Amino acid sequence: MMSPGDGAIIGVSGGADSVALLNVLLQISREFADDGEEALSLRVIHVNHMIRGEEADRDEKFVAELCEKLDIPFKVYREDIPRLAKEMHMTEEEAGRHFRYEVFRKEAEALELEMDKKGAKIAVAHNKDDLAETVLYNMVRGSSLFGLSGILPVRDRIIRPLLMTRRSEIEEYLKELGQSFITDSTNMQTEYSRNKIRLSIMPELKGINDRAVDHIVDIALDSVRLRDDISREIEAAECIECREKESIIYIDKLQNMGQMAQGECILKALENVCGRRKDITREHIEAVRNLAGLETGKSIDLIYRMRAARSYGEIIITKSEESETDQAALEGAQSGLENTLGELETQVIDYSDGLEISKKEYTKMLDYDKIKNALVLRTPLKEDYIVINSSGGQKKLSRFFTHNKIEQAKRTHFPVVADGNEIVWVVGLRLSERYKVTPETRKVMVITYKRGK
């Protein structure tokens, strides 16, 4: 991960893991210098998320004093993460991670200019227990087998030198050094999903087998090896062409590969178009795979405004541009969405245990973070569909109307709340299963429909 003369930005929160990482890299740097090699150029970055008040300020002060003691350059960034999360339609955990890595990337590029040398690393302090917990977290969220690889030791310029070290070993190392550290109180709050795994589930698994963490990590390593093998298979098959905002899958080459390679090929094609893998499910992949058996001209709408279309021997995946209507709807998400059909009044609130879910016919509550694009109040379109069960099963809106005995004449003017071609709420009839509030929900949107005058 590190060679003599390399540079690295170290993310240090003040917790045991990051404090240990800082000490380890300083030790390696000294060993390089003692061997007559060039020492490492190290810089510490601390991010104050402005969530925990005095405790966050305490953490910042601790890291500043530690860096002064160790004589290492230090810089702090302060960001109102709750505000940022609201602006970006993310959870606070997601927004914090996004901000941290943007800061680390910016500082790594600055270090490269300072050193006049490419390749500055970003060192973060994930450990073996984190890896095991991530594998479980991904698994219960519905990850593919490749998602079970969890956290990679090296990804682009990001390195994780402590990834194969147990949390207990890290604390023992700091004890031997006589090095103190601080504990983030939010690590003990079980409303966070990862903390539930760490505090409740992992102790039970260790009670069954004290090597549970090691065995889970073994599965993660097998997943990495399998992914590497399948990536080579995809590359050799030349089954996909990735262009800017467009992916082309060659059907004959796709069908000559194994099932897992086909799925990864499709996922890669989708990721190329939308720029992410998050929330792309097995259902999306199977829907694209099924296009290979349909006639030319058939198409499907997917997550993140993507569309996959069968064209002779190819499946072409594209992404529609954001419309002015959707942009206006997005900007009005807090204040209300107007339409000739009527009006939607909206409010976004925090989810809490015991929150009473509205059973009113014209007021519904949905998971705010599930909204992919923007909510629009409109009449039905030909390609509209609604998710009808918790496993992601879909039904064409036209079939839904037939099942509910809605007369044909009424359908063209029936109000629906849509996110692209996915129907979130058939007003007065049904809310999509995908958008329903669950114990994992962080933000809730309350929407009330009022008829037009």
Side-chain angles (χ1 to χ4, degrees), residues 425-436:
W425 182 24
V426 184
V427 176
L429 287 181
R430 180 163 185 167
L431 186 69
S432 166
E433 288 293 323
R434 190 196 304 280
Y435 293 84
K436 286 187 175 180

Side-chain angles (χ1 to χ4, degrees), residues 205-382:
L205 294 178
K206 292 173 186 176
I208 297 171
N209 187 322
D210 58 6
R211 293 198 62 211
V213 169
D214 295 324
H215 295 320
I216 294 170
V217 168
D218 287 342
I219 293 293
L221 296 176
D222 285 343
S223 175
V224 171
R225 297 181 188 107
L226 181 60
R227 185 176 63 180
D228 290 343
D229 290 344
I230 288 180
S231 294
R232 285 190 287 270
E233 181 182 353
I234 293 171
E235 186 175 349
E238 298 181 338
C239 62
I240 178 175
E241 182 178 346
C242 294
R243 301 174 180 174
E244 185 176 359
K245 298 184 179 179
E246 181 182 71
S247 293
I248 298 175
I249 300 173
Y250 300 107
I251 294 173
D252 57 342
K253 295 180 179 180
L254 179 75
Q255 294 177 332
N256 283 332
M257 296 190 299
Q259 288 286 308
M260 289 192 65
Q262 288 181 21
E264 182 65 12
C265 177
I266 293 169
L267 185 55
K268 182 178 179 182
L270 295 172
E271 182 184 18
N272 174 64
V273 173
C274 71
R276 68 191 84 177
R277 293 194 173 204
K278 185 177 184 293
D279 294 328
I280 298 177
T281 67
R282 297 175 189 270
E283 287 77 20
H284 297 126
I285 292 171
E286 286 306 310
V288 175
R289 196 201 310 262
N290 290 338
L291 271 180
L294 302 179
E295 64 268 23
T296 290
K298 292 292 185 180
S299 65
I300 54 171
D301 288 307
L302 298 161
I303 191 171
Y304 301 130
R305 298 184 180 275
M306 290 187 290
R307 168 165 287 195
R310 170 71 191 265
S311 177
Y312 299 100
E314 301 171 349
I315 296 174
I316 301 173
I317 301 172
T318 56
K319 184 177 181 181
S320 64
E321 295 298 324
E322 186 175 51
S323 69
E324 292 181 4
T325 301
D326 287 345
Q327 180 60 34
L330 180 61
E331 292 173 353
Q334 296 284 346
S335 59
L337 305 170
E338 294 185 1
N339 191 288
T340 55
L341 292 171
E343 181 178 291
L344 284 183
E345 289 186 353
T346 68
Q347 179 186 12
V348 179
I349 62 176
D350 290 329
Y351 175 82
S352 60
D353 291 337
L355 178 68
E356 185 176 350
I357 304 302
S358 172
K359 293 182 173 59
K360 294 180 181 179
E361 187 176 9
Y362 291 106
T363 297
K364 295 299 175 185
M365 302 169 78
L366 55 94
D367 190 323
Y368 181 59
D369 295 315
K370 296 285 181 64
I371 300 171
K372 301 185 288 291
N373 302 299
L375 297 187
V376 179
L377 179 63
R378 59 169 173 77
T379 54
L381 299 175
K382 181 180 178 182

Side-chain angles (χ1 to χ4, degrees), residues 13-15 46-60 79 82 92 182-187 189 192:
S13 66
H46 176 81
V47 177
N48 185 332
H49 297 85
M50 300 175 68
I51 294 176
R52 293 175 292 118
E54 292 182 0
E55 185 178 292
D57 295 335
R58 175 209 66 180
D59 296 352
E60 179 184 322
E79 179 64 32
E92 289 182 4
I182 51 180
T183 301
D184 183 340
S185 62
T186 60
N187 289 340
Q189 296 176 1
Y192 294 104

